[in-house]
């Protein structure tokens, strides 16, 4: 692996320094092992970022493709669709584990 390829991946990952990226890193980024992402051409930070944007903001796949291309990641919308289909159950499973329980009492306002 050439050093320019490593630098390119680091630049692509560092371009995701937004608040949403920090949320992903802090909450679900460390949960997934490398086995799940093995064989993919992109780092798991980019894959999870694309899946997060799709689930959180319900953007179209072509909008996600354009958003990622602005950030320097060249990926096809069909690839993003495959990522969403593959990784959505895993992300949803982790979010359900972290969901807070509802209390035993419910208060109803009579107005």
């Amino acid at each position: 692996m050439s050093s320019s390829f490593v630098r390119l991946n680091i630049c692509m990952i560092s371009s995701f320094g937004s608040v949403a990226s920090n949320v992903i890193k802090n909450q679900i980024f460390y949960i997934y092992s490398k086995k799940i992402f093995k064989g993919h051409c992109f780092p798991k930070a980019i894959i999870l970022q694309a899946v997060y944007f799709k689930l959180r903001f319900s953007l179209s796949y072509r909008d996600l493709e354009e958003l990622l291309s602005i950030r320097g990641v060249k990926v096809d919308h069909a690839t993003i669709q495959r990522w969403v289909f593959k990784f959505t159950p895993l992300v949803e499973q982790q979010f359900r584990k972290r969901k807070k329980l509802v209390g035993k009492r419910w208060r109803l306002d009579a107005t």
Side-chain angles (χ1 to χ4, degrees):
M1 185 182 313
S2 67
S3 61
S4 63
F5 180 73
V6 174
R7 263 188 252 122
L8 176 65
N9 280 340
I10 290 171
C11 290
M12 288 190 315
I13 292 170
S14 65
S15 68
F16 287 96
S18 65
V19 175
S21 177
N22 292 335
V23 169
I24 286 179
K25 286 179 186 174
N26 292 336
Q27 292 184 358
I28 63 172
F29 186 73
Y30 67 93
I31 294 168
Y32 302 109
S33 65
K34 292 182 180 179
K35 293 178 184 177
I36 297 172
F37 296 92
K38 191 173 184 176
H40 292 281
C41 296
F42 292 93
K44 65 180 178 179
I46 293 174
I47 295 172
L48 286 176
Q49 186 76 47
V51 172
Y52 174 78
F53 281 155
K54 177 63 180 169
L55 297 177
R56 174 64 178 89
F57 301 111
S58 65
L59 300 169
S60 70
Y61 294 112
R62 292 187 189 267
D63 288 341
L64 279 174
E65 178 184 5
E66 182 180 350
L67 183 66
L68 291 175
S69 69
I70 291 171
R71 294 177 176 225
V73 180
K74 303 296 182 201
V75 63
D76 190 45
H77 64 276
T79 304
I80 297 172
Q81 182 183 23
R82 285 192 297 262
W83 291 346
V84 170
F85 288 162
K86 181 175 182 179
F87 295 110
T88 296
L90 301 173
V91 171
E92 185 180 7
Q93 180 184 26
Q94 293 302 322
F95 282 143
R96 286 185 188 275
K97 284 182 183 178
R98 297 170 189 283
K99 187 176 178 183
K100 293 181 181 179
L101 295 175
V102 178
K104 294 180 181 179
R105 297 181 185 177
W106 290 80
R107 301 185 191 275
L108 180 64
D109 189 11
T111 57

